[in-house]
Amino acid sequence: MRLLTLFSLFAAGAAHAALELPALFSDHAVLQRDQTVPVWGWATPGQEMTVAVAGQTGKATADAAGKWRVDLSKLDAQGPQTLTVTAGQETKTIQDVLIGEVWLGSGQSNMAMQVSRAKDYEKEQAAANFPQVRMFVEKSGASPTAKDRATGTWVVCTPETVGAFSATAYFFGREIHQALQVPVGLINSSVGGTPIESWIAADVQKAQPELKGFFAGQERLNKAFDPVQAKAVYEKQLAAYKGAAKKAKAEGKPAPRAPRDPIATRERKGDIGGLFNGKIAPLIPYAIRGALWYQGEANSVPEKAPFYQHHLALLAKDWRARWGYEFPIAWVQLPNYKSSRGEGWMRVREGEMKAVQSVPHSGMAVTLDIGDEKDIHPKNKQEVGRRLALWALGSIYGKEAFSLPLPVKHEVKDGAVVVTLSEACLYKSNSAETGFVVAGADKAWHPAKVTLKGKTLVISSKDVTEPVAARYAWEEMPAVTLWNKQGVPVTQFRTDDW
C-alpha cells in the first residue's frame, strides 16, 4: 500500500510541470515599449496561461513540450508595474517592471569592460543614481547546442551597483535615458577575447560562400593545434610563473602576468557558434529596440581579418531573422592602438566600414582618436557610449541630426585621387601630418596633401606624378584630421585593394 501511494505521488508530480519563466522575466525587468512584447516560458502541456501587465492581458496554451508564448500588444513607457503569469492555481508575480527602451550589448572584452575600470570612476559612481536604468548580465557560457534558459538577474543602477555594469552599454544607456526621459534596460552578453565566429550559429556561417576561405583556414589551424603539447608547454610556463611570482613577492615587486591555459581559452571562446548557442539563443525572442556590438580585436589576425565584413553583416542578418524583425544595430570600430597586428587591425576596421555600408539600419561609432597606444582596453568609454547614442538619437529616435560620412566613389584626375564622401566634412590638422597618402603603380606610399571641397577630397603628392590610389588613416595609430560636423572622426578608408 505504501509503495502504491509513493508511486501515485510520483506519477502526479511527473504529470504536472511547475510554471517556469526565463530569467529575463524577473524583478526589476525592463520591457520594450511601442512594439510587440513576447512573454514565454514552460508549464504543464495543455495548460492555459494568462499574462497580465500594465492593464493588458494575454492568454496562451502550453504545447506538447510545455512551451508557451503570449505576445502582448504595444505598451506605453511607464513606471513600476507588476507582471503576473498564471497557470491553473499557480501564479508568478514579477515586481518593479518598467516599460521603456531595451538594448542588447554584445562582443568581447571592450563590451564586457566594467564602469569600475573606465576613466573617472569615482566621479561616475557618485553620480550614478538612475533607478530607471537597469542591466541584465547573461552569465551562461559557450555551448555546443542552442540553449533556451538564460542565466542572470536585472540590477537597478545605483552608486553601489554601477561599477559592475558594462561601461559602453551604461554610458550609451545613460545618454538615451536622459535624452528620452524613459526607462532603459541594457542586456549585456559578452565574453573577453572571443572571435565573432563564435557569436553566429555554425550552420549559418558554413552555408555562406564568402566564408569558404575562412573555414579552410580554421581547419588548418585546428589540425596544427596539439592539445597534449599545448598542455605540456602551459605547465612549464605555469611552473616558471609561480617561481617568478614568489620571488617578486619576496622582493616587494609586482608579480608577472600569469600564462593562459590554452585548453581553457579554447573552451571559453566556444568554437564556431558556441557563444551564440550559450549566450544569445537564450535571449531570443525578448523584445529589444536594437543591438550594440563591440568586438573585432580577436579577428585582427591575418587568417580572419579579411573575412570580418562578411561575418559582421551575417551576424546582423541572422540575429534579426531569429528575433523576427529588422532591429537597428551599431558597432564600435577598432580604435587607435599599437596592436602589433599591423594590416590585420586596419582590415577589421575596413570590414566594419564595409558592413555599415551594406547592412540596412546600421551604424558605427568611429574611435580613431580615443584609443590608447598601450592599452587594448581604452578607458574613455564615456565617449564611446556618447557616439553610439548620437547614432541612436539621430537615426532611430529622430531627436537630433546624425551623420556618418563614408566614401562613395573615387577617380584619378589631373594628377590627384579624387574621393567623394557621402556628405561634407571638416579637415583639421595641427601638424605636417595630413593622414593621407598616395601611391603610383609601384605601390610605394608617399605623404599627401588634401584639398577639401564640400563632399570632395582632392588628394595628391609632389612625389607621385601619376597616382593610382589613396588612403586615409590607414595605420594602427593614424593622424586623425577628417571630422564630421558633430566633431566625430571620419572612418579610415582606401581606394585600393592591395
Side-chain angles (χ1 to χ4, degrees), residues 167-448:
T168 294
Y170 168 68
F171 292 123
F172 165 84
R174 184 179 68 181
E175 295 277 343
I176 297 299
H177 171 61
Q178 292 178 322
L180 303 180
Q181 292 296 299
V182 299
V184 172
L186 304 164
I187 301 172
N188 172 17
S189 186
S190 51
V191 182
T194 55
I196 193 172
E197 63 268 20
S198 187
W199 292 94
I200 311 169
D203 59 336
V204 173
Q205 294 182 66
K206 291 176 180 176
Q208 303 302 308
E210 299 90 349
L211 295 177
K212 184 177 180 180
F214 169 82
F215 281 103
Q218 288 300 107
E219 186 175 354
R220 289 193 297 271
L221 290 174
N222 289 335
K223 286 181 178 179
F225 181 76
D226 183 343
V228 176
Q229 182 182 13
K231 183 179 180 181
V233 171
Y234 169 68
E235 288 176 347
K236 289 182 180 179
Q237 293 173 337
L238 187 61
Y241 159 76
K242 289 179 178 179
K246 184 177 180 180
K247 180 181 179 183
K249 184 178 180 180
E251 296 174 352
K253 297 179 180 179
R257 179 176 294 181
R260 292 183 177 180
D261 182 342
I263 308 298
T265 298
R266 286 172 71 88
E267 291 176 354
R268 179 173 53 81
K269 291 182 178 181
D271 200 19
I272 308 297
L275 289 170
F276 169 82
N277 290 334
K279 296 185 74 69
I280 298 299
L283 305 175
I284 302 170
Y286 197 81
I288 60 174
R289 173 66 70 189
L292 308 173
W293 178 252
Y294 197 163
Q295 192 274 338
E297 301 91 338
N299 286 80
S300 62
V301 294
E303 305 84 18
K304 297 183 178 185
F307 302 97
Y308 197 79
Q309 69 183 88
H310 305 301
H311 266 126
L312 190 50
L314 181 61
L315 179 142
K317 180 180 179 180
D318 188 56
W319 285 15
R320 287 168 168 178
R322 293 172 189 273
W323 255 273
Y325 57 100
E326 197 172 75
F327 55 75
I329 183 171
W331 38 87
V332 181
Q333 192 180 47
L334 290 184
N336 46 323
Y337 168 65
K338 201 68 176 175
S339 74
S340 77
R341 300 270 174 90
E343 192 76 6
W345 200 256
M346 283 80 81
R347 291 294 294 271
V348 169
R349 281 195 201 132
E350 182 179 54
E352 290 161 332
M353 182 198 73
K354 288 186 175 181
V356 85
Q357 289 175 311
S358 66
V359 176
H361 307 300
S362 67
M364 181 172 71
V366 180
T367 62
L368 290 174
D369 61 322
I370 54 174
D372 187 317
E373 180 178 2
K374 298 180 180 179
D375 191 350
I376 201 170
H377 304 113
K379 296 185 181 301
N380 189 2
K381 292 297 190 283
Q382 289 89 336
E383 184 62 11
V384 175
R386 189 187 76 86
R387 291 179 185 182
L388 288 169
L390 281 175
W391 160 75
L393 291 171
S395 299
I396 300 165
Y397 299 112
K399 284 292 182 180
E400 50 190 88
F402 171 77
S403 65
L404 180 66
L406 296 168
V408 176
K409 63 180 181 178
H410 74 277
E411 62 177 331
V412 177
K413 182 179 179 181
D414 299 330
V417 179
V418 181
V419 176
T420 301
L421 300 175
S422 57
E423 60 186 76
C425 59
L426 306 172
Y427 174 75
K428 302 176 185 178
S429 178
N430 296 322
S431 68
E433 289 188 89
T434 66
F436 291 87
V437 293
V438 295
D442 61 357
K443 299 183 180 181
W445 295 103
H446 297 269

Side-chain angles (χ1 to χ4, degrees), residues 120-142:
D120 300 329
Y121 170 56
E122 290 76 12
K123 178 182 175 181
E124 297 291 359
Q125 181 186 32
N129 186 24
F130 297 105
Q132 288 198 328
V133 175
R134 282 97 185 270
M135 181 168 289
F136 180 96
V137 179
E138 175 53 59
K139 295 185 179 297
S140 59

Side-chain angles (χ1 to χ4, degrees), residues 468-486:
V468 298
R471 292 179 174 183
Y472 167 67
W474 194 266
E475 297 179 34
E476 291 181 323
M477 297 288 297
V480 181
T481 59
L482 206 57
W483 303 80
N484 73 3
K485 293 181 179 180
Q486 292 170 302

Side-chain angles (χ1 to χ4, degrees), residues 134-161:
R134 282 97 185 270
M135 181 168 289
F136 180 96
V137 179
E138 175 53 59
K139 295 185 179 297
S140 59
S143 171
T145 57
K147 298 297 184 182
D148 58 3
R149 263 74 162 176
T151 304
T153 57
W154 284 97
V155 177
V156 178
C157 178
T158 68
E160 292 73 32
T161 63

